[in-house]
């Protein structure tokens, strides 16, 4: 009897009893009934969910609500019920202090518990969200604040750029908005939230990494296109993030120059005209080719910093995408060969290697000339000197001189090559390179060099 009375009492509170209907708020009630949705635990299926409909049908001849969000039960990591007596759960405040409230919130929002299934709660899941979503987003924002002045960027409602990377990320952004919006309209919270993590990963590991040099370009137009695109993407991303990671969304929104709150803004609209389907198709082929060619390099035991002469693929894509492949895989030339027959400039006698996946087939030339060997050495030395700069706490504004000494034969050739030394100075912000007594020993490939950085 008590359970039945509890159900009737709880049912009366929403969506009609809470408005003191029919004694008050009649017009407001009629405009908002049935309720758009209700939310409760799956254990209420035969209680609150059911009784609401029974009462509403008896009183009004219609259902009480249109949609329901039913969550499952959060269990301990071993599958047992959480209990204070067993102390088999992490302290929520410890988790929040360690990872932030947004990491915990996003972990739960994307979990099976939002599909009325049980969840064996794991701190590892929160940690994964923190590292793969929160930290990566913060790193993107740090990059933005380092290279972009928000005050100098015009706030545009739409962005158009001739750069395929900009076109690609804007297309991916609009697909994210569309997928999240459709899932929210269907009250499908996990599928609405999950695409955010994938988008953040692509924004960081593909768009931003491939665009880094554009933010430092001497061309104002190229630099501005990259800056405006990144700001536009971060703005829309913060709006999409807002329901799921409200604190991070607000941080992004304020950082890119807004004074109001992101939570007072309208939901972003999907722009079908901004989705470049051809760009998406060709960029997908580009990334697939890069994946296969990097796998070939790995199988051959050749580091990515070592330039190679040529790569080929059998898929037709634009020249701009071939430049991306060449840069990403570190080859001098990428050619299209529909049959991948291996005609010039490949030489099968040099052990060129082939890999295929489905319809895509790629080929990699692995012959390393003396010139290419020195370029590879230059890349490795550049990485090591920039690492020394970071260790010394130097900033982008600090210009230093490199003092070196080495008995390495190949390094000797490198330091005697004026053209390569100029490239080294430009890539490491050096004012000069001089032979002398270095203080720190570093290994560049298989040779040793002593170096010092002097202001």
């Amino acid at each position: 009897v008590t359970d039945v009375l509890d159900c009737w009492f709880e049912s009366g509170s929403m969506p009609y009893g809470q408005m003191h209907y029919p004694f008050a708020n009649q017009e407001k009630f009629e405009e908002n009934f049935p309720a758009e949705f209700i939310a409760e635990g799956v254990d209420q299926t035969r209680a609150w969910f059911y009784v609401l409909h029974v009462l509403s049908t008896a009183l009004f001849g219609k259902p009480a609500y249109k949609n329901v969000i039913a969550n499952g039960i959060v269990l301990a990591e071993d599958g047992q019920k959480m209990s204070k007596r067993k102390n088999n759960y992490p302290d929520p405040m410890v988790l929040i202090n360690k990872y932030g409230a947004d990491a915990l919130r996003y972990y739960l929002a994307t979990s099976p518990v939002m599909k009325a299934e049980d969840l064996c709660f794991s701190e590892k899941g929160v940690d994964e969200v923190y590292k793969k979503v929160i930290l990566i987003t913060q790193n993107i924002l740090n990059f933005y604040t380092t290279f972009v002045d928000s005050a100098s960027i015009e706030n545009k409602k739409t962005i158009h750029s001739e750069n395929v990377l900009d076109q690609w990320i804007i297309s991916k952004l609009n697909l994210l908005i569309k997928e999240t919006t459709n899932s929210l309209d269907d009250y499908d919270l996990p599928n609405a939230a999950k695409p955010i993590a994938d988008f953040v990963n692509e924004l960081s590991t593909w768009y931003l990494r491939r665009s880094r040099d554009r933010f430092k370009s001497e061309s104002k137009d190229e630099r501005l296109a990259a800056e405006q695109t990144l700001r536009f993407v971060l703005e829309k991303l913060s709006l999409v993030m807002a329901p799921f990671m409200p604190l991070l969304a607000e941080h992004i929104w304020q950082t890119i120059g807004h004074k109001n709150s992101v939570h007072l803004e309208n939901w972003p609209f999907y722009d079908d005209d901004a989705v470049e389907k051809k760009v998406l198709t060709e960029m997908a082929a580009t990334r697939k080719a890069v994946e296969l060619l990097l796998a070939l390099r790995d199988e051959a035991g050749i580091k990515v910093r070592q330039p190679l002469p040529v790569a080929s693929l059998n898929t037709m894509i634009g020249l701009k995408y071939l430049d991306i492949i060449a840069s990403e895989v570190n080859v001098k030339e990428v050619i299209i060969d529909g049959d991948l027959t291996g005609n010039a400039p490949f030489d099968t006698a040099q052990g060129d290697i082939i890999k295929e996946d489905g319809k895509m087939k790629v080929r990699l030339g692995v012959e390393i000339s003396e010139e290419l060997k020195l370029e590879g050495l230059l890349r490795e030395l550049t990485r090591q000197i920039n690492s020394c700069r970071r260790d010394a706490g130097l900033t982008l504004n600090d210009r230093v001189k490199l003092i070196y000494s080495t008995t390495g034969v190949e390094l000797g050739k490198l330091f005697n090559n004026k053209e390569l030394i100029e490239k080294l100075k430009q890539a490491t912000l050096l004012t000069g390179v001089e032979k002398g007594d270095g203080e720190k020993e570093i290994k560049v490939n298989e040779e040793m060099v002593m170096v010092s950085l002097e202001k």
Side-chain angles (χ1 to χ4, degrees):
V1 173
T2 303
D3 289 342
V4 172
L5 290 175
D6 286 344
C7 290
W8 276 79
F9 177 79
E10 193 169 4
S11 300
S13 66
M14 189 294 203
Y16 22 82
Q18 67 180 14
M19 295 187 182
H20 199 50
Y21 179 85
F23 306 104
N25 302 312
Q26 293 188 21
E27 184 177 346
K28 183 178 180 181
F29 169 77
E30 291 169 359
E31 289 176 353
N32 294 278
F33 185 79
E36 286 297 326
F37 82 98
I38 65 170
E40 249 292 359
V42 70
D43 56 313
Q44 292 291 338
T45 301
R46 292 183 296 173
W48 194 46
F49 296 166
Y50 169 72
V51 174
L52 273 179
H53 279 326
V54 170
L55 291 174
S56 182
T57 302
L59 294 171
F60 308 105
K62 61 176 69 175
Y65 51 88
K66 300 175 184 178
N67 299 279
V68 60
I69 297 176
N71 62 271
I73 307 300
V74 180
L75 303 172
E77 191 169 2
D78 60 4
Q80 296 187 52
K81 184 177 180 180
M82 288 185 176
S83 167
K84 290 183 179 179
R85 178 177 58 82
K86 295 180 179 179
N87 195 28
N88 59 348
Y89 58 90
D91 186 328
M93 292 312 301
V94 171
L95 286 179
I96 290 173
N97 290 332
K98 186 175 182 181
Y99 303 107
D102 280 353
L104 176 59
R105 182 185 178 100
Y106 189 76
Y107 167 68
L108 293 172
T110 56
S111 73
V113 78
M114 298 306 298
K115 287 281 193 178
E117 300 177 19
D118 290 344
L119 169 67
C120 295
F121 186 90
S122 171
E123 183 177 342
K124 294 178 182 177
V126 183
D127 179 69
E128 185 176 2
V129 168
Y130 177 70
K131 291 175 179 176
K132 293 186 176 181
V133 182
I134 307 296
L135 281 185
I136 292 179
T137 303
Q138 290 178 340
N139 288 338
I140 295 170
L141 201 57
N142 289 340
F143 179 91
Y144 176 87
T145 56
T146 300
F147 292 100
V148 181
D149 179 11
S150 291
S152 66
I153 301 298
E154 184 181 353
N155 189 13
K156 295 186 175 183
K157 293 183 178 180
T158 59
I159 293 290
H160 178 74
S161 169
E162 297 299 325
N163 187 284
V164 292
L165 283 165
D166 292 341
Q167 294 170 4
W168 175 77
I169 197 63
I170 293 297
S171 297
K172 297 291 287 187
L173 174 68
N174 277 279
L175 291 179
L176 169 69
I177 295 172
K178 182 179 182 180
E179 187 173 1
T180 302
T181 301
N182 290 342
S183 294
L184 286 175
D185 285 343
D186 292 337
Y187 294 88
D188 187 347
L189 297 186
N191 284 335
K194 285 179 181 178
I196 295 174
D198 294 333
F199 180 82
V200 166
N201 179 62
E202 290 187 312
L203 176 61
S204 173
T205 61
W206 187 252
Y207 173 78
L208 206 57
R209 190 167 55 81
R210 294 296 330 138
S211 300
R212 291 183 72 90
D213 291 341
R214 297 171 58 214
F215 288 88
K216 297 176 280 186
S217 174
E218 295 181 359
S219 169
K220 182 179 179 181
D221 291 341
E222 184 179 20
R223 192 172 62 251
L224 187 60
E227 291 174 349
Q228 287 182 331
T229 299
L230 182 57
R231 186 189 189 283
F232 180 80
V233 169
L234 286 174
E235 181 180 80
K236 300 304 179 185
L237 177 61
S238 63
L239 291 168
V240 174
M241 275 186 170
F244 309 101
M245 291 172 276
L247 301 177
L248 181 58
E250 184 72 9
H251 178 53
I252 296 171
W253 188 258
Q254 299 287 338
T255 301
I256 62 176
H258 290 289
K259 302 300 181 183
N260 59 332
S261 172
V262 68
H263 303 293
L264 299 177
E265 294 295 310
N266 292 326
W267 184 255
F269 288 101
Y270 163 73
D271 184 1
D272 187 52
D273 293 334
V275 178
E276 303 280 354
K277 295 181 180 179
K278 189 173 185 293
V279 171
L280 290 171
T281 300
E282 294 197 71
M283 192 65 81
T286 298
R287 299 181 72 184
K288 187 65 177 179
V290 167
E291 179 186 342
L292 294 176
L293 288 167
L294 289 178
L296 281 177
R297 291 192 70 120
D298 187 58
E299 292 172 10
I302 303 173
K303 294 180 179 180
V304 178
R305 291 189 187 90
Q306 173 58 59
L308 292 176
V310 65
S312 177
L313 63 150
N314 65 346
T315 303
M316 292 297 298
I317 56 177
L319 293 177
K320 294 179 180 180
Y321 301 95
L322 298 184
D323 291 340
I324 292 175
I325 295 173
S327 176
E328 189 73 9
V329 182
N330 195 12
V331 294
K332 291 298 183 181
E333 182 183 16
V334 180
I335 60 176
I336 302 294
D337 183 351
D339 298 323
L340 211 62
T341 57
N343 295 329
F346 287 103
D347 182 358
T348 54
Q350 297 298 329
D352 299 332
I353 47 182
I354 295 176
K355 198 175 190 66
E356 57 184 309
D357 184 359
K359 295 181 179 180
M360 180 170 286
K361 192 175 184 180
V362 299
R363 185 171 190 152
L364 186 65
V366 295
E367 181 183 6
I368 303 174
S369 65
E370 184 66 23
E371 182 181 359
L372 291 176
K373 185 183 295 184
L374 285 179
E375 285 192 37
L377 200 64
L378 172 63
R379 287 202 172 204
E380 180 61 27
L381 179 60
T382 298
R383 185 186 72 84
Q384 295 276 14
I385 293 176
N386 280 330
S387 178
C388 290
R389 286 183 62 96
R390 287 192 297 271
D391 293 343
L394 299 175
T395 68
L396 295 173
N397 296 321
D398 293 320
R399 296 294 189 268
V400 292
K401 179 171 59 178
L402 174 69
I403 308 298
Y404 79 93
S405 61
T406 182
T407 58
V409 175
E410 297 300 324
L411 279 172
K413 295 177 183 178
L414 170 62
F415 282 112
N416 288 325
N417 188 310
K418 292 184 179 180
E419 182 180 350
L420 294 181
I421 290 302
E422 283 302 315
K423 290 182 178 179
L424 176 67
K425 289 165 63 176
Q426 184 178 4
T428 56
L429 305 177
L430 297 174
T431 57
V433 177
E434 297 180 6
K435 197 169 185 178
D437 295 326
E439 298 178 353
K440 181 177 180 180
E441 185 179 51
I442 59 176
K443 186 176 182 181
V444 184
N445 290 353
E446 300 303 319
E447 296 184 345
M448 308 303 297
V449 58
M450 300 293 294
V451 299
S452 293
L453 298 176
E454 295 183 1
K455 289 188 177 181

